[in-house]
Amino acid sequence: NAGVMQNPRHLVRRRGQEARLRCSPMKGHSHVYWYRQLPEEGLKFMVYLQKENIIDESGMPKERFSAEFPKEGPSILRIQQVVRGDSAAYFCASSPRQGIDIQYFGAGTRLSVL
Amino acid sequence: EDQVTQSPEALRLQEGESSSLNCSYTVSGLRGLFWYRQDPGKGPEFLFTLYSAGEEKEKERLKATLTKKESFLHITAPKPEDSATYLCAVNNAGNMLTFGGGTRLMVKP
């Protein structure tokens, strides 16, 4: 029973390029959450999605960041025109239901912007 | 705004030396408090969920407790393999977890 799968594990981009981070939730899970962990900081919520719907994006920067969870395929976190301040570890979590259900995390994607 | 504060930031223990990690929280309507373990370069690994004051849960050398204002993670006779960062998080609105800064635990043999 595979856990939450994230890829790539490491991603290097130059300033101005685009970064695409992928997340496949655990089998049977239809709720996906993205969190960001900046160096020396705690995990911060970014966005919560269900299939084909963004439910809560209150933690997402207003510009350059977008997320989707299509009917088929993984959830994608997209960062356009990356800047050095986007360098961080991005974690995806999934749960079978909303609310106080346990969120299971993937291993993360470490983005480095040169 | 929900707030979670963990203390201490770092803790060094000798193998077998029991101690406790603290998680203080301010949240409008706690629905669940979560403890995770995070090893370097990895994602958080779920340990416990606590829902109401007075609740306790145990797993091997770890025991989590909850009051109306804080939670404790008690570590009994720790081993070097217990070295990790321990994260506390609260859930109130059902959509997101609000995390504390974590406690970095180092257990020396």
Side-chain angles (χ1 to χ4, degrees):
Chain A
N1 184 17
V4 178
M5 303 301 292
Q6 290 189 248
N7 67 83
R9 291 293 314 277
H10 301 274
L11 183 62
V12 179
R13 285 287 178 267
R14 297 191 180 279
R15 281 179 297 169
Q17 291 184 321
E18 178 179 290
R20 280 181 174 245
L21 288 60
R22 295 174 186 78
C23 169
S24 295
M26 286 180 71
K27 187 176 180 180
H29 288 193
S30 57
H31 299 253
V32 166
Y33 310 79
W34 286 92
Y35 293 81
R36 177 165 66 174
Q37 190 171 40
L38 292 166
E40 305 304 321
E41 291 189 21
L43 281 155
K44 303 283 188 208
F45 168 80
M46 299 181 74
V47 62
Y48 161 46
L49 310 103
Q50 294 180 33
K51 285 283 187 182
E52 300 184 279
N53 285 302
I54 296 175
I55 307 302
D56 181 351
E57 55 182 350
S58 58
M60 194 95 101
K62 299 297 180 197
E63 298 178 349
R64 301 187 298 105
F65 286 73
S66 62
E68 63 177 7
F69 189 14
K71 187 176 180 181
E72 301 291 338
S75 176
I76 306 287
L77 180 66
R78 182 183 177 202
I79 311 172
Q80 295 178 290
Q81 299 175 322
V82 296
V83 300
R84 290 219 172 103
D86 296 332
S87 295
Y90 292 82
F91 291 97
C92 170
S94 74
S95 69
R97 291 176 297 274
Q98 184 186 345
I100 57 176
D101 231 355
I102 299 164
Q103 293 183 22
Y104 295 92
F105 283 79
T109 293
R110 275 135 190 94
L111 173 66
S112 297
V113 180
L114 304 178
Chain B
E1 183 178 319
D2 300 342
Q3 284 195 324
V4 180
T5 304
Q6 292 188 245
S7 62
E9 289 187 9
L11 180 62
R12 289 184 177 224
L13 298 173
Q14 288 295 131
E15 184 172 2
E17 180 186 1
S18 301
S19 188
S20 296
L21 282 56
N22 177 264
C23 170
S24 298
Y25 62 89
T26 305
V27 63
S28 54
L30 179 72
R31 297 181 65 187
L33 185 140
F34 298 78
W35 283 98
Y36 287 85
R37 168 188 172 135
Q38 186 175 24
D39 291 291
K42 297 189 177 181
E45 175 189 345
F46 171 74
L47 293 173
F48 302 108
T49 310
L50 301 166
Y51 297 106
S52 56
E55 189 175 359
E56 299 182 352
K57 287 191 178 172
E58 283 188 72
K59 180 181 178 181
E60 295 181 353
R61 296 177 291 282
L62 300 176
K63 178 180 176 180
T65 62
L66 181 65
T67 72
K68 288 186 177 179
K69 293 184 178 181
E70 57 191 350
S71 176
F72 291 93
L73 185 65
H74 306 278
I75 303 178
T76 302
K79 298 182 177 181
E81 54 261 42
D82 294 323
S83 297
T85 296
Y86 290 85
L87 301 171
C88 172
V90 297
N91 176 300
N92 70 337
N95 296 337
M96 70 179 84
L97 295 176
T98 301
F99 281 87
T103 293
R104 190 170 67 254
L105 174 66
M106 294 155 280
V107 182
K108 293 200 167 186

